[in-house]
Amino acid sequence: MLNNKLLGFLFICLMVFEVKAQTVEYSGQIIEKGKKVNGQRDFYFAIGSIWSEEHKDVNIDDGKFHINLGEENPLYEHFFDANNEAKLYVSVNGIALELITIKLPKAKSIKKTYKRPLLANSTDNRLQMFSEDGLQKVDLKVNANNHGQLYLYDSLGKRKAWLAPFGVEGKTGGLLSLYGDHGGWVGTGFKVWEEKSLPFFHLEGYKMKNTPLVAMETYEYQEESNPVEFGVGHFLNSDNIQNSRIEAYGFWHTSKNGTVAGINTKDWDNNFPQIHLNATDYFDNSQLFTAEIITHKDVEMGNLYMKNGTEEKTVVINPQNFYINDTENGYNTFINSSSFKVGKNDYGKLGELNIVKGNNGGEFAQLILRSESGGELKLDHYSDFSLIDSDIRYKRDIQPLSSSLEKVMQLNGVSYHYRVNDFPKKSFSSERQIGVIAQEVEKVYPELVVEDNKGMKSVHYAQTVAVLIEAIKELNQKVEALEEQNETLKAELQQSMENKEELETLKLQLQVIQKLITDTK
């Protein structure tokens, strides 16, 4: 097994395990830089925080070594799980290896018969007490590390309590361990594996060995130049997929899918309180919801912050404003007590509704609508809705209208009622209306008709004025032509009447001449 921490050592474990008076034989081979090691090495072994043993100057011959684990500090059955397995920590000359699984076969029971309770006081600083049935009840001794330790056993001879100094690489602290019938463990001591041996209290269940389901510990935190110690509580479920953490700075709960709910104080912001909800680590930035107190312009206030997992959509709500930012589509909305703004991130505000102060000191509402091309429509109580931008300087490609009268004659003015009940969202008036039909107008003047995405048509009524003006002008030209023609006809008729009178006079004169001629004959 190659271990990155071994720094050049290749540690090949050819392990042989055999139960011998609460010991486990541990054999292996060490190869360094491709060569079998000869000499001596210091070994340190531990099973969690309940057992440890140190073997110094272990002889290694042709790379091979042999150690009896439990020789100095006995190994007991309850150190192992239901499969008689335990995770063994190993270090060689202070270099840690990966955890190794060791197995403890069940030992053949050895029956002892005692006629009376036995108290044994050996010469190696050890005191043992046995009950009448020969089972050990108390074991008080000085171990190989020159630490005093006390073991207490129940009526079945199982160790249920252990009190001893516990050490790691020269650092020691007191450790009290209590064991249940099925492997549950209660332990309190000091974290000697850290720089400061701060105290801890652990509760283990039965399903997961060497994993505390409840842990209360003391931690140290470097706050600027001042180290601060504080208590922390951890609470897990038996599958180690949900847990809660309580400490002096806040409370956090993590669900089985990685979602986190937290309550804490912000030491970076006047220690104001904060509630936040984090999603799973599917997203890089997982904090989707935050409720907190913030300072804005020297005023403390509540603040609500929400976003989606990709941070493309965010919402901020507080007493000062309401803000929505949609970077995915490029839009933003801002509302405060006196304005409403809708904008586009790469352009600015496309729409504004503001409260504006007038020249006389009063206030009025003002609506401003803009387009990306630079167009702007401003509406307020000063606005004249009859005005439409029509300066010739705004226009190009100007063409006169033609045949307006002929086209207008194809349109029909009608009266009608809107289908109010069929289109309730349109807020149509129920009163009788006068107007035109969009489909008829479209056939003659398609420029005056607009169709929406649902195919419904609307008419630019204001623009029909230009058509009517040209139609009236054409009609006026016809009237003037008829009047001129009429005057011509009238003149011709007058001349005809005068000619008729003259003709009648000539006729009378001819009759007189004819009569004179007749009379002379």
Side-chain angles (χ1 to χ4, degrees):
M1 181 183 298
L2 181 62
N3 188 293
N4 291 333
K5 297 181 180 179
L6 200 51
L7 303 178
F9 286 97
L10 182 61
F11 188 86
I12 303 177
C13 297
L14 306 174
M15 294 177 288
V16 179
F17 305 110
E18 182 180 350
V19 176
K20 287 186 178 180
Q22 296 176 328
T23 64
V24 173
E25 290 191 359
Y26 182 85
S27 299
Q29 187 178 55
I30 296 181
I31 298 175
E32 181 180 4
K33 296 181 179 179
K35 296 181 179 181
K36 297 178 181 179
V37 173
N38 290 284
Q40 294 180 330
R41 295 289 188 274
D42 294 336
F43 286 76
Y44 175 80
F45 303 92
I47 297 177
S49 60
I50 61 175
W51 177 88
S52 65
E53 190 171 81
E54 191 172 16
H55 292 258
K56 290 185 174 294
D57 300 328
V58 175
N59 290 319
I60 303 174
D61 185 14
D62 197 26
K64 298 178 181 179
F65 67 91
H66 180 85
I67 299 172
N68 286 328
L69 300 178
E71 193 173 57
E72 299 295 334
N73 190 6
L75 288 164
Y76 293 95
E77 182 179 349
H78 58 269
F79 290 174
F80 299 80
D81 60 20
N83 297 320
N84 288 326
E85 293 181 347
K87 296 294 183 181
L88 181 68
Y89 169 84
V90 183
S91 68
V92 181
N93 277 9
I95 300 174
L97 307 181
E98 292 183 355
L99 290 177
I100 298 172
T101 300
I102 63 173
K103 190 173 183 66
L104 179 67
K106 289 186 178 180
K108 296 180 180 179
S109 61
I110 301 175
K111 293 184 178 180
K112 296 183 179 179
T113 304
Y114 298 91
K115 295 181 179 179
R116 58 183 176 82
L118 176 63
L119 176 63
N121 191 356
S122 62
T123 58
D124 58 353
N125 295 323
R126 186 171 187 177
L127 176 65
Q128 295 174 285
M129 298 181 67
F130 298 86
S131 60
E132 291 183 352
D133 55 6
L135 294 177
Q136 187 176 18
K137 299 301 179 184
V138 179
D139 189 354
L140 176 63
K141 69 174 184 178
V142 177
N143 61 27
N145 297 318
N146 288 322
H147 301 323
Q149 63 184 35
L150 173 65
Y151 297 116
L152 302 178
Y153 302 81
D154 64 9
S155 60
L156 300 177
K158 295 182 178 180
R159 191 176 78 182
K160 292 300 179 70
W162 172 34
L163 176 62
F166 172 71
V168 173
E169 299 179 356
K171 297 177 64 178
T172 59
L175 177 64
L176 172 63
S177 296
L178 306 175
Y179 305 96
D181 288 338
H182 303 287
W185 177 72
V186 177
T188 182
F190 296 86
K191 297 185 285 185
V192 297
W193 53 89
E194 295 182 354
E195 183 177 356
K196 265 195 170 183
S197 299
L198 297 173
F200 70 89
F201 176 78
H202 285 182
L203 300 179
E204 288 184 10
Y206 303 131
K207 186 175 181 180
M208 299 190 333
K209 301 303 177 184
N210 303 322
T211 300
L213 298 183
V214 177
M216 288 181 282
E217 306 180 26
T218 304
Y219 280 83
E220 184 180 67
Y221 171 70
Q222 191 73 22
E223 195 173 80
E224 296 180 352
S225 60
N226 179 36
V228 177
E229 294 180 1
F230 59 95
V232 175
H234 300 272
F235 306 89
L236 308 177
N237 70 348
S238 59
D239 293 326
N240 196 22
I241 56 176
Q242 296 197 85
N243 66 84
S244 298
R245 174 186 171 99
I246 301 175
E247 63 177 56
Y249 295 96
F251 167 83
W252 293 268
H253 175 76
T254 303
S255 68
K256 61 183 179 181
N257 63 351
T259 301
V260 178
I263 302 175
N264 62 284
T265 55
K266 301 179 291 181
D267 55 1
W268 62 91
D269 186 13
N270 294 331
N271 285 311
F272 285 141
Q274 178 186 61
I275 300 173
H276 56 87
L277 304 179
N278 294 12
T280 62
D281 46 10
Y282 175 79
F283 298 107
D284 292 336
N285 194 338
S286 58
Q287 188 163 300
L288 300 185
F289 173 91
T290 304
E292 59 186 344
I293 294 178
I294 62 173
T295 299
H296 180 71
K297 296 181 180 179
D298 298 325
V299 176
E300 295 178 5
M301 62 182 180
N303 188 62
L304 185 63
Y305 177 80
M306 294 172 285
K307 66 180 181 181
N308 66 346
T310 57
E311 295 191 76
E312 293 172 339
K313 294 180 173 65
T314 58
V315 178
V316 180
I317 304 173
N318 57 51
Q320 298 281 2
N321 54 60
F322 177 93
Y323 179 73
I324 302 174
N325 188 25
D326 181 358
T327 57
E328 180 182 14
N329 298 305
Y331 300 106
N332 58 78
T333 302
F334 178 84
I335 304 172
N336 62 18
S337 58
S338 61
S339 65
F340 179 98
K341 298 178 175 63
V342 178
K344 195 168 184 181
N345 294 341
D346 58 354
Y347 173 78
K349 292 182 281 293
L350 292 175
E352 294 183 64
L353 178 61
N354 302 304
I355 302 298
V356 181
K357 288 187 177 181
N359 297 330
N360 59 358
E363 295 182 342
F364 60 91
Q366 183 181 78
L367 176 64
I368 303 175
L369 304 177
R370 300 183 180 89
S371 67
E372 289 186 276
S373 59
E376 181 177 286
L377 173 64
K378 183 181 294 185
L379 305 176
D380 54 39
H381 74 295
Y382 294 116
S383 300
D384 186 348
F385 294 99
S386 64
L387 292 177
I388 298 176
D389 291 331
S390 192
D391 194 297
I392 193 171
R393 289 170 291 183
Y394 291 138
K395 303 175 182 181
R396 63 183 180 85
D397 299 333
I398 301 172
Q399 299 293 332
L401 298 178
S402 62
S403 303
S404 298
L405 180 61
E406 178 185 354
K407 294 178 180 179
V408 168
M409 294 300 294
Q410 300 178 46
L411 303 179
N412 296 298
V414 296
S415 66
Y416 56 89
H417 281 97
Y418 279 118
R419 294 165 58 186
V420 176
N421 296 332
D422 294 337
F423 302 95
K425 293 183 179 180
K426 298 294 290 184
S427 300
F428 286 138
S429 171
S430 59
E431 301 296 326
R432 192 163 192 82
Q433 307 293 315
I434 292 178
V436 294
I437 304 302
Q439 282 80 355
E440 294 181 359
V441 176
E442 187 177 28
K443 293 178 182 178
V444 182
Y445 284 108
E447 304 96 326
L448 298 180
V449 178
V450 176
E451 183 176 310
D452 63 19
N453 56 4
K454 295 182 180 179
M456 305 303 283
K457 303 177 187 296
S458 301
V459 175
H460 287 295
Y461 275 88
Q463 295 181 15
T464 61
V465 173
V467 175
L468 296 177
I469 288 174
E470 291 303 311
I472 291 172
K473 287 169 64 178
E474 290 183 16
L475 181 60
N476 185 63
Q477 290 174 358
K478 289 188 176 184
V479 169
E480 289 180 348
L482 288 173
E483 287 180 345
E484 183 178 350
Q485 184 178 2
N486 186 49
E487 291 296 328
T488 301
L489 291 175
K490 286 171 64 178
E492 291 177 353
L493 179 60
Q494 181 66 30
Q495 183 65 42
S496 176
M497 293 296 294
E498 292 177 357
N499 292 337
K500 184 178 179 180
E501 291 177 357
E502 185 177 354
L503 181 61
E504 290 295 328
T505 301
L506 292 174
K507 285 182 177 180
L508 289 173
Q509 292 175 354
L510 181 59
Q511 290 177 357
V512 170
I513 294 173
Q514 288 177 344
K515 185 176 181 182
L516 290 173
I517 294 173
T518 302
D519 290 342
T520 56
K521 287 181 177 181

